[in-house]
Structure formats: structure tokens, C-alpha cells
Amino acid sequence: MAYPSYSSSGGLSARRTSAQIAAMVFGIVFLLIGVLGFIPGITANYNALYFSGYESEAVLLGVFQVSVLHNVVHMLLGFAGLAMARTNSSARLYLVGAGILYAVLFIYGLLIPLDSSANFVPFNTADNWLHVVLAVVMILLGLILGRDTERRPSAGGGPSRSSGNPGEGSIPN
């Protein structure tokens, strides 16, 4: 649960739920990956970095095929993760939603020929494997983490709403 509390220095602090922390971590990682995709040396074949399409032969960390569009999508997903980490429910929505997006991208990557114009992002085999791993991990985290803040059994054994503070799981501005 996340309750606003006062730190020993007198300032307001907040406890974050595990779902909020996971959303923040994924947000930071996606932002970092998006930025690294624009750095020569970290991205091999940087001179072959195109806006989109399978012709973009730039590879992040020498493994994952990237394009300008691919990097921008990672950064947007990172910003979304940071923004949605503000509350437990939106953090869980981010994890499940992004996980579903990666599942769709995995299926799309399996169905299209990797050397066709349909591979506009672009993907390679390493991207496809990463997409399926991200899909499974993010969906599971979104479904499992933070459930305890939504409903708890009452003393009589029946379901009841959590008796926490209003805004529970929220990070103050």
C-alpha cells in the first residue's frame, strides 16, 4: 500500500507499490534503450540508421535491429511508464497494456517476412524473442503486483473495499 508519510527531514515522501516501482523501472529502461539507439558505437552500423523499414541495418548492442521510429517508440513507451507509475492502478494498466502490445508485436514479427516492407519498425529474430519475453513478464507483473491494495477480506470474511486513505497508491505532485 502507498500512504503519504513524512520523512525524518520533515518533507513529504510516498511509499510506492511494487506495481508502481515495476512501471518506473520499465519506463526508465525503455527511455534508456531509446536514447542508446541514437548513440554511435552502442548502435552498430549507425550510418545505416534509417527512419523506418527493414533497410535500417543499425543494430543496438550489435543484436537488436533499430530505426529512428523504433527508438522513438521505445522512448514514448518509457515516458508512458513513468507517467503511469503515479498510481497503482495506472501502473498495473501500463504493465498489462505494454505487455499486450509486445505480444501483438511478437505475433506480427512471426507473421511477416523480415525482409519485406511490412517490417516497417523494423524487427529481427532477436527483437521477436525479446518481445515475447517482455510480453510474458510485463503481463504477469501487471496481474500479480499490487493486487493487495484493491480488495481485502473484511473481519467477517466477506469482501470489502480497502480501508486505506483516499488516493492510496498515489504519488503526490
Side-chain angles (χ1 to χ4, degrees), residues 11-172:
L12 184 65
S13 68
R15 295 186 193 121
R16 291 176 178 87
T17 65
S18 50
Q20 289 173 289
I21 292 168
M24 283 183 7
V25 168
F26 275 104
I28 291 167
V29 169
F30 286 132
L31 269 174
L32 181 63
I33 293 301
V35 169
L36 291 176
F38 289 113
I39 300 176
I42 295 174
T43 299
N45 298 328
Y46 187 79
N47 58 340
L49 179 70
Y50 299 133
F51 178 76
S52 65
Y54 73 94
E55 299 91 0
S56 183
E57 295 177 1
V59 282
L60 179 63
L61 304 173
V63 178
F64 304 103
Q65 189 174 8
V66 293
S67 65
V68 172
L69 177 62
H70 204 147
N71 294 335
V72 168
V73 168
H74 281 132
M75 291 190 304
L76 291 174
L77 199 55
F79 285 125
L82 293 176
M84 293 181 79
R86 293 177 55 91
T87 67
N88 183 63
S89 60
S90 65
R92 292 182 71 202
L93 178 64
Y94 168 77
L95 292 168
V96 172
I100 291 170
L101 172 68
Y102 275 113
V104 168
L105 290 174
F106 169 68
I107 293 166
Y108 183 74
L110 291 178
L111 296 177
I112 62 165
L114 296 179
D115 60 350
S116 73
S117 60
N119 189 9
F120 65 94
V121 174
F123 306 133
N124 62 14
T125 303
D127 288 305
N128 284 339
W129 281 106
L130 180 60
H131 291 164
V132 74
V133 169
L134 285 170
V136 169
V137 169
M138 292 182 85
I139 290 170
L140 285 175
L141 288 175
L143 294 175
I144 294 169
L145 296 180
R147 290 188 306 188
D148 62 334
T149 62
E150 292 182 6
R151 292 196 179 267
R152 290 183 177 228
S154 64
S160 70
R161 297 292 294 166
S162 172
S163 60
N165 295 336
E168 179 178 315
S170 298
I171 304 299

